């Protein structure tokens, strides 16, 4: 007999008939000898309707009252589903988040779960009842017992948190698609169903806009080793399993807020190659990395910053033993990238730096927490460590620094994030050596027989901000991202330009980053107000961008993957505006109107399409 947590989304319980169908599925699972906790969302578009009502009353409704209002949607569903189960002869009881004992921060509309009091829940389970829980909601830990909501995707978060607290055998997420697909079936009908995917890969895809699972739910599953399966509520297909390494013991107190960073990683065996002033046009990255791939040069980080005039900079890191080969490739191709109209120009200069190290913080708990990256940058600044390159992903922030400062940087980061010596990560010669770390810093090994790229995602809800001529000295990144964190603005991609200009004796670089589009204008206004007093240059906002990304644990150590992605875009004459990479993700910023075409081209290039077409139910 298994203890199973099942979660049903709004479309799955969107009508009386669908609620009755869910009841039949739950009843069948119980009769097979299992104990069940069911977490449900509000019916259909109920939440959207409640939001509309609120905005008709007030253009800027009070967040406490919004929580009070929105929490009613799930309460309708739990009562109806309990009634449907009782009609089938199955004992059931409906419970709100507060009744279940989901205790959260006192933060309306975006609370994180602190802990779950499982005594009452366990008692009902032991009595043979199906407990039907209102997802998306909890209660503050203060004596006032305020109703709180968890934000977008909150029912996923509720379900996985309950599964973790109960130590359930697994958690089933029922939705309107048959599992996790290689991309959005609304954009590519032939998107292929995956049998399984790792938590690391799912974290990246979920955060890139794949709406099947919310990143916070995947974060909890990864941190507590909860087996997850995503299934269709319309069929009996097996769905997709989301797998995670078995975690070392982790407290269920402060469930969503404890330890956002689990380990510090460093690699002193790195060198940097930068091509400065390459033409800003389609095909340049494809040509460069195509040649790198043909020469079997394995690249680690790749960054391309915002353009300056008609040119751009592309930089990448490699391990020291293959530096000469990488430098030779870059030097050989540089003349071919120079301006055809002025072949004697000084464009496409190759710059090589030997004495560098990569220092990283890692942990699934940094998702949506703007203060984590800011804290890393501030820690390095206080230690007098200047940042030369920045690369970000959902589970890691990496900085390239001077090799001589590596030990100082690692020690400072371990202290700041309270990482014990046994949890220290180190790496050399391209291998992982994370000792006794609760979570692997390098991505988990790809699943057997899986292609190197598992999925392609498109995010059309981002804006890019660029700050020109930021002084290149310790503390600038800390100041910038600290300000954004203070205003609760989460940052996604962060790119620091390689081109350095000396103005009035001060070396300066551009820095660009992406934020949610709804935060774009506020971020620009806030940064413009402080730019002059901090000695920064112009703040530029571009909201007409799209970010397209590939994700896959199997791309590690395969130099041709990036080249294939860039070539697919070049063939469609899509210009790459920015590039950022992590070990299991490559992201490109392109023009917004080319986003869908970019996704479709990349999905086809990696031959991810299947023979079956998936139609998402209305």
């Amino acid at each position: 007999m298994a203890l199973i947590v099942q979660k049903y989304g709004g479309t799955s319980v969107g009508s009386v008939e669908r609620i009755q169908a869910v009841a039949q599925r739950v009843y069948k699972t119980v009769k097979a000898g299992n104990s069940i906790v069911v977490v449900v969302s509000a019916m259909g578009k109920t939440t959207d309707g409640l939001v509309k009502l609120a905005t008709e009353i007030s253009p800027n409704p009070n967040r406490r009252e919004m929580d009070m209002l929105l929490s009613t949607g799930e309460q309708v569903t739990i009562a109806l589903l309990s009634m449907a189960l009782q009609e089938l002869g199955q004992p059931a009881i409906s419970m709100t988040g507060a009744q279940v004992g989901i205790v959260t921060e006192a933060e309306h509309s975006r609370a994180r779960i602190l802990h779950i009091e499982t005594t009452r829940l366990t008692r009902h389970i032991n009595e043979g009842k199906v407990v039907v829980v209102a997802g998306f909601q909890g209660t503050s830990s203060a004596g006032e017992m305020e109703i709180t909501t968890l934000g977008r995707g909150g029912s996923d978060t509720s379900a996985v948190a309950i599964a973790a607290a109960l130590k359930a055998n697994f958690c089933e997420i029922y939705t309107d698609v048959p599992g996790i697909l290689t991309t959005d079936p609304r954009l590519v009908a032939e998107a292929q169903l995956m049998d399984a995917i790792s938590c690391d890969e799912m974290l990246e895809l979920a955060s890139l806009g794949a709406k099947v699972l919310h990143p916070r739910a995947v974060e909890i599953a990864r941190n507590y080793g909860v087996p997850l399966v995503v299934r269709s509520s319309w069929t009996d297909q097996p769905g997709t399993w989301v797998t995670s390494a078995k975690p070392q013991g982790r407290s269920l107190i402060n469930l969503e807020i404890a330890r956002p960073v689990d380990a510090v990683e460093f690699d002193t065996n790195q060198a940097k190659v930068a091509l400065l002033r390459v033409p800003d046009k389609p095909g340049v990255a494809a040509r460069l990395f195509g040649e790198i791939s043909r020469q079997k040069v394995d690249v680690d980080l790749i960054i391309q910053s915002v353009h300056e005039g008609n040119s751009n900079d592309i930089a990448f890191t490699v391990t020291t033993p293959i530096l000469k080969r990488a430098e030779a490739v870059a030097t050989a191709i540089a003349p071919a990238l120079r301006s055809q109209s002025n072949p004697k120009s000084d464009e496409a200069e190759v710059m090589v730096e030997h004495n560098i190290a990569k220092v990283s913080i890692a942990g699934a708990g940094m998702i949506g927490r703007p203060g984590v990256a800011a804290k890393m940058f501030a820690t390095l600044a206080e230690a007098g460590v200047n940042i030369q390159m920045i690369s970000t992903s959902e589970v890691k922030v990496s900085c390239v620094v001077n090799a001589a400062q590596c030990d100082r940087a690692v020690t400072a980061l371990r202290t700041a994030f309270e990482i014990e010596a046994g949890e220290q990560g180190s790496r050399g010669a391209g291998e992982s050596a994370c000792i006794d770390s609760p979570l692997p810093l390098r991505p988990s090994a790809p699943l057997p027989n899986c292609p190197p790229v598992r999925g392609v995602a498109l995010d059309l809800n981002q804006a890019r901000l660029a700050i020109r001529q930021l002084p290149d000295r310790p503390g600038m990144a800390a100041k910038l991202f600290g300000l954004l964190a203070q205003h609760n603005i989460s940052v996604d991609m962060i790119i620091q330009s390689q081109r350095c200009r000396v103005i009035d004796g001060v070396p300066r670089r551009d820095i660009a980053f992406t934020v949610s589009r709804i935060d774009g204008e506020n971020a620009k206004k806030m940064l413009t107000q402080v730019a002059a007093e901090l000695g920064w240059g112009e703040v530029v906002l571009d909201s007409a961008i799209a970010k397209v990304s590939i994700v896959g644990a199997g791309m590690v150590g395969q130099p041709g993957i990036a080249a294939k992605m860039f070539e697919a875009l070049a063939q469609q004459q899509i210009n790459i505006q920015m590039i950022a990479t992590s070990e299991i993700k490559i992201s490109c910023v392109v023009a917004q109107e080319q986003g869908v075409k970019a996704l479709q081209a990349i999905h086809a290039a990696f031959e991810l399409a299947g023979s079956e077409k998936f139609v998402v139910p209305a």
Side-chain angles (χ1 to χ4, degrees), residues 343-376:
K344 295 183 180 180
S345 69
D346 62 349
E347 294 175 0
E349 172 191 355
V350 178
M351 181 177 71
V352 176
E353 191 160 349
H354 298 260
N355 299 316
I356 65 166
K358 183 176 74 170
V359 181
S360 308
I361 57 172
M366 60 179 71
I367 296 169
R369 301 188 203 185
V372 176
K375 184 176 180 177
M376 180 187 191

Side-chain angles (χ1 to χ4, degrees), residues 131-352:
V131 184
V132 184
V133 180
F136 175 67
Q137 62 178 246
T139 181
S140 69
S141 57
E144 289 85 357
M145 295 288 288
E146 289 288 300
I147 291 174
T148 54
T149 64
L150 309 182
R152 189 176 66 84
S155 292
D156 287 354
T157 305
S158 300
V160 182
I162 289 170
L166 291 173
K167 295 182 172 58
N169 294 86
F170 55 91
C171 179
E172 297 177 317
I173 305 291
Y174 285 93
T175 182
D176 53 5
V177 290
I180 298 163
L181 304 172
T182 51
T183 195
D184 187 341
R186 298 170 184 85
L187 302 179
V188 180
E190 298 82 9
Q192 192 170 348
L193 179 67
M194 302 182 217
D195 294 330
I197 187 171
S198 71
C199 263
D200 283 345
E201 293 168 318
M202 192 64 235
L203 268 174
E204 299 287 8
L205 285 172
S207 301
L208 291 167
K211 298 179 179 64
V212 178
L213 275 174
H214 194 273
R216 281 170 60 185
V218 186
E219 172 192 340
I220 297 168
R222 184 182 189 268
N223 285 342
Y224 293 94
V226 177
L228 266 180
V229 60
V230 178
R231 291 183 171 141
S232 169
S233 55
W234 318 105
T235 71
D236 290 323
Q237 292 183 13
T240 304
W241 284 91
V242 183
T243 63
S244 56
K246 187 176 181 180
Q248 297 184 8
R250 190 180 180 107
S251 172
L252 287 160
I253 303 299
N254 292 332
L255 191 146
E256 274 202 282
I257 66 171
R259 288 279 296 261
V261 173
D262 285 286
V264 175
E265 180 184 23
F266 64 93
D267 184 356
T268 55
N269 194 24
Q270 292 231 330
K272 178 176 70 176
V273 180
L275 275 82
L276 308 185
R277 294 180 290 277
V278 299
D280 182 41
K281 63 182 182 182
V284 171
R287 194 167 181 180
L288 170 61
F289 289 98
E291 187 59 34
I292 286 172
S293 171
R294 283 187 286 275
Q295 297 302 322
K296 306 298 182 186
V297 174
D298 188 17
V299 172
D300 185 2
L301 301 180
I302 303 172
I303 68 165
Q304 177 185 311
S305 189
V306 288
H307 67 88
E308 185 172 334
N310 295 319
S311 67
N312 215 319
D313 303 334
I314 299 177
F316 56 93
T317 62
V318 294
T319 55
T320 305
I322 61 172
L323 173 60
K324 287 186 178 179
R325 208 173 349 141
E327 183 180 358
V329 173
T331 302
I333 201 171
L337 298 178
R338 290 182 181 137
S339 171
Q340 294 180 356
S341 60
N342 185 12
K344 295 183 180 180
S345 69
D346 62 349
E347 294 175 0
E349 172 191 355
V350 178
M351 181 177 71
V352 176

Side-chain angles (χ1 to χ4, degrees), residues 481-534:
F481 294 104
L483 285 167
L484 292 167
Q486 288 171 22
H487 288 77
N488 204 37
I489 295 173
S490 292
V491 175
D492 184 12
M493 296 171 69
I494 303 173
I495 307 292
Q496 192 171 20
S497 73
Q498 296 305 292
R499 201 177 311 187
C500 186
R501 295 181 179 276
V502 178
I503 301 174
D504 297 329
V506 178
R508 296 172 179 271
R509 299 180 191 271
D510 297 343
I511 193 163
F513 54 92
T514 59
V515 299
S516 173
R517 186 170 297 159
I518 60 173
D519 290 328
E521 288 291 349
N522 286 338
K524 180 186 177 183
K525 182 179 178 181
M526 181 267 294
L527 293 174
T528 301
Q529 288 172 347
V530 301
E533 64 182 85
L534 295 174

Side-chain angles (χ1 to χ4, degrees), residues 378-429:
T379 300
L380 294 177
E382 288 166 10
V385 177
N386 197 36
I387 300 169
Q388 300 180 23
M389 292 172 71
I390 299 169
S391 177
T392 57
S393 79
E394 292 307 325
V395 294
K396 184 183 288 189
V397 181
S398 298
C399 294
V400 170
V401 301
N402 188 296
Q405 298 178 323
C406 180
D407 287 348
R408 195 192 322 162
V410 169
T411 300
L413 290 171
R414 282 179 54 197
T415 301
F417 289 103
E418 300 178 4
I419 304 298
E420 299 296 328
E423 297 165 352
Q424 175 61 28
S426 62
R427 199 180 133 216

Side-chain angles (χ1 to χ4, degrees), residues 454-473:
R454 307 300 315 284
V456 185
L458 176 66
D459 190 342
L460 292 168
N461 296 308
Q462 293 209 344
R464 179 182 61 220
L465 285 141
I467 301 179
R468 302 291 188 182
Q469 301 173 9
L470 201 73
D472 185 27
R473 57 173 180 254

